Short mmCIF file of all heavy atoms in Angstrom, two decimals:
data_model
loop_
_atom_site.label_atom_id
_atom_site.label_comp_id
_atom_site.label_asym_id
_atom_site.label_seq_id
_atom_site.Cartn_x
_atom_site.Cartn_y
_atom_site.Cartn_z
N THR A 486 -27.25 11.82 164.56
CA THR A 486 -26.31 11.56 165.65
C THR A 486 -25.76 12.87 166.20
O THR A 486 -25.63 13.85 165.45
CB THR A 486 -25.16 10.66 165.13
OG1 THR A 486 -25.69 9.35 164.93
CG2 THR A 486 -23.99 10.58 166.09
N TYR A 487 -25.44 12.88 167.49
CA TYR A 487 -24.75 14.05 168.03
C TYR A 487 -23.50 13.63 168.80
O TYR A 487 -23.41 12.54 169.36
CB TYR A 487 -25.67 14.91 168.89
CG TYR A 487 -26.06 14.34 170.24
CD1 TYR A 487 -25.22 14.45 171.35
CD2 TYR A 487 -27.31 13.75 170.41
CE1 TYR A 487 -25.59 13.96 172.58
CE2 TYR A 487 -27.71 13.27 171.66
CZ TYR A 487 -26.84 13.37 172.74
OH TYR A 487 -27.21 12.89 173.96
N VAL A 488 -22.53 14.56 168.79
CA VAL A 488 -21.27 14.42 169.53
C VAL A 488 -21.15 15.64 170.43
O VAL A 488 -21.30 16.78 169.96
CB VAL A 488 -20.06 14.37 168.58
CG1 VAL A 488 -18.77 14.29 169.36
CG2 VAL A 488 -20.18 13.19 167.62
N VAL A 489 -20.88 15.40 171.72
CA VAL A 489 -20.78 16.53 172.64
C VAL A 489 -19.68 16.25 173.66
O VAL A 489 -19.47 15.12 174.09
CB VAL A 489 -22.13 16.78 173.35
CG1 VAL A 489 -22.54 15.60 174.20
CG2 VAL A 489 -22.09 18.05 174.19
N ASN A 493 -12.00 16.85 170.25
CA ASN A 493 -12.33 17.03 168.84
C ASN A 493 -13.65 16.32 168.58
O ASN A 493 -13.87 15.21 169.09
CB ASN A 493 -11.27 16.40 167.93
CG ASN A 493 -9.99 17.19 167.93
OD1 ASN A 493 -9.97 18.38 167.67
ND2 ASN A 493 -8.89 16.52 168.24
N GLY A 494 -14.50 16.95 167.80
CA GLY A 494 -15.75 16.30 167.47
C GLY A 494 -15.54 15.15 166.50
O GLY A 494 -15.76 13.99 166.83
N ILE A 495 -15.07 15.49 165.28
CA ILE A 495 -14.91 14.49 164.22
C ILE A 495 -13.55 14.69 163.57
O ILE A 495 -13.15 15.81 163.26
CB ILE A 495 -16.04 14.62 163.17
CG1 ILE A 495 -17.40 14.33 163.81
CG2 ILE A 495 -15.78 13.69 161.98
CD1 ILE A 495 -18.58 14.64 162.91
N VAL A 516 -25.85 15.19 161.50
CA VAL A 516 -24.90 15.00 162.60
C VAL A 516 -24.61 16.37 163.22
O VAL A 516 -24.26 17.31 162.51
CB VAL A 516 -23.60 14.34 162.12
CG1 VAL A 516 -22.57 14.28 163.25
CG2 VAL A 516 -23.88 12.94 161.56
N ILE A 517 -24.76 16.46 164.53
CA ILE A 517 -24.52 17.72 165.24
C ILE A 517 -23.34 17.55 166.19
O ILE A 517 -23.29 16.59 166.96
CB ILE A 517 -25.78 18.15 166.02
CG1 ILE A 517 -26.93 18.41 165.05
CG2 ILE A 517 -25.50 19.39 166.87
CD1 ILE A 517 -28.24 18.73 165.73
N VAL A 518 -22.40 18.45 166.11
CA VAL A 518 -21.23 18.46 166.99
C VAL A 518 -21.34 19.69 167.87
O VAL A 518 -21.52 20.80 167.37
CB VAL A 518 -19.93 18.49 166.18
CG1 VAL A 518 -18.73 18.53 167.12
CG2 VAL A 518 -19.83 17.27 165.25
N ALA A 519 -21.25 19.49 169.18
CA ALA A 519 -21.43 20.62 170.08
C ALA A 519 -20.50 20.51 171.28
O ALA A 519 -20.13 19.42 171.70
CB ALA A 519 -22.89 20.70 170.56
N GLY A 520 -20.14 21.65 171.82
CA GLY A 520 -19.33 21.67 173.04
C GLY A 520 -17.92 21.18 172.85
O GLY A 520 -17.29 20.73 173.81
N THR A 521 -17.41 21.26 171.64
CA THR A 521 -16.04 20.81 171.37
C THR A 521 -15.18 21.90 170.74
O THR A 521 -13.97 21.89 170.87
CB THR A 521 -16.04 19.61 170.41
OG1 THR A 521 -16.67 20.02 169.19
CG2 THR A 521 -16.79 18.43 170.98
N ASP A 522 -15.80 22.82 170.04
CA ASP A 522 -15.05 23.72 169.17
C ASP A 522 -14.34 24.83 169.98
O ASP A 522 -14.92 25.45 170.84
CB ASP A 522 -16.02 24.36 168.17
CG ASP A 522 -15.30 25.04 167.03
OD1 ASP A 522 -14.18 24.60 166.72
OD2 ASP A 522 -15.85 26.00 166.47
N PHE A 550 -11.12 21.19 167.84
CA PHE A 550 -11.94 21.39 166.66
C PHE A 550 -13.31 20.72 166.84
O PHE A 550 -13.38 19.62 167.38
CB PHE A 550 -11.29 20.78 165.42
CG PHE A 550 -10.14 21.56 164.88
CD1 PHE A 550 -8.84 21.10 165.05
CD2 PHE A 550 -10.34 22.73 164.16
CE1 PHE A 550 -7.77 21.79 164.54
CE2 PHE A 550 -9.27 23.43 163.64
CZ PHE A 550 -7.97 22.97 163.83
N GLY A 551 -14.33 21.34 166.31
CA GLY A 551 -15.59 20.63 166.14
C GLY A 551 -15.41 19.54 165.10
O GLY A 551 -15.67 18.36 165.35
N VAL A 552 -14.96 19.92 163.93
CA VAL A 552 -14.53 19.00 162.88
C VAL A 552 -13.10 19.41 162.55
O VAL A 552 -12.84 20.56 162.17
CB VAL A 552 -15.43 19.07 161.64
CG1 VAL A 552 -14.89 18.20 160.52
CG2 VAL A 552 -16.86 18.63 162.00
N PHE A 575 -18.21 19.27 155.88
CA PHE A 575 -19.15 18.74 156.85
C PHE A 575 -20.39 19.64 156.94
O PHE A 575 -21.53 19.15 156.94
CB PHE A 575 -18.46 18.65 158.21
CG PHE A 575 -19.37 18.26 159.35
CD1 PHE A 575 -19.67 16.93 159.58
CD2 PHE A 575 -19.94 19.23 160.17
CE1 PHE A 575 -20.51 16.57 160.63
CE2 PHE A 575 -20.77 18.87 161.21
CZ PHE A 575 -21.08 17.54 161.44
N SER A 582 -24.36 20.37 161.68
CA SER A 582 -24.01 21.67 162.25
C SER A 582 -22.94 21.50 163.32
O SER A 582 -22.78 20.42 163.89
CB SER A 582 -25.24 22.38 162.85
OG SER A 582 -25.81 21.60 163.88
N ILE A 583 -22.20 22.58 163.57
CA ILE A 583 -21.19 22.63 164.61
C ILE A 583 -21.56 23.76 165.57
O ILE A 583 -21.71 24.90 165.13
CB ILE A 583 -19.78 22.88 164.02
CG1 ILE A 583 -19.42 21.82 162.99
CG2 ILE A 583 -18.73 22.90 165.13
CD1 ILE A 583 -18.14 22.11 162.23
N LEU A 584 -21.68 23.43 166.84
CA LEU A 584 -22.06 24.42 167.84
C LEU A 584 -20.97 24.51 168.89
O LEU A 584 -20.51 23.49 169.40
CB LEU A 584 -23.37 24.04 168.51
CG LEU A 584 -24.58 23.77 167.59
CD1 LEU A 584 -25.75 23.28 168.41
CD2 LEU A 584 -24.93 25.02 166.81
N ALA A 585 -20.53 25.72 169.23
CA ALA A 585 -19.50 25.87 170.24
C ALA A 585 -20.00 25.45 171.61
O ALA A 585 -19.24 24.97 172.44
CB ALA A 585 -19.01 27.31 170.27
N SER A 586 -21.30 25.62 171.85
CA SER A 586 -21.87 25.32 173.16
C SER A 586 -22.92 24.22 173.01
O SER A 586 -23.59 24.10 171.99
CB SER A 586 -22.52 26.56 173.75
OG SER A 586 -23.27 26.22 174.90
N LEU A 590 -28.73 22.28 172.72
CA LEU A 590 -29.06 20.96 172.18
C LEU A 590 -30.38 20.42 172.72
O LEU A 590 -31.09 19.69 172.04
CB LEU A 590 -27.95 19.96 172.51
CG LEU A 590 -26.65 20.08 171.72
CD1 LEU A 590 -25.65 19.03 172.23
CD2 LEU A 590 -26.89 19.91 170.24
#
Side-chain angles (χ1 to χ4, degrees):
T486 288
Y487 72 81
V488 177
V489 63
N493 288 305
I495 297 171
V516 175
I517 297 175
V518 179
T521 59
D522 194 28
F550 285 106
V552 175
F575 173 83
S582 61
I583 304 172
L584 306 175
S586 170
L590 286 178

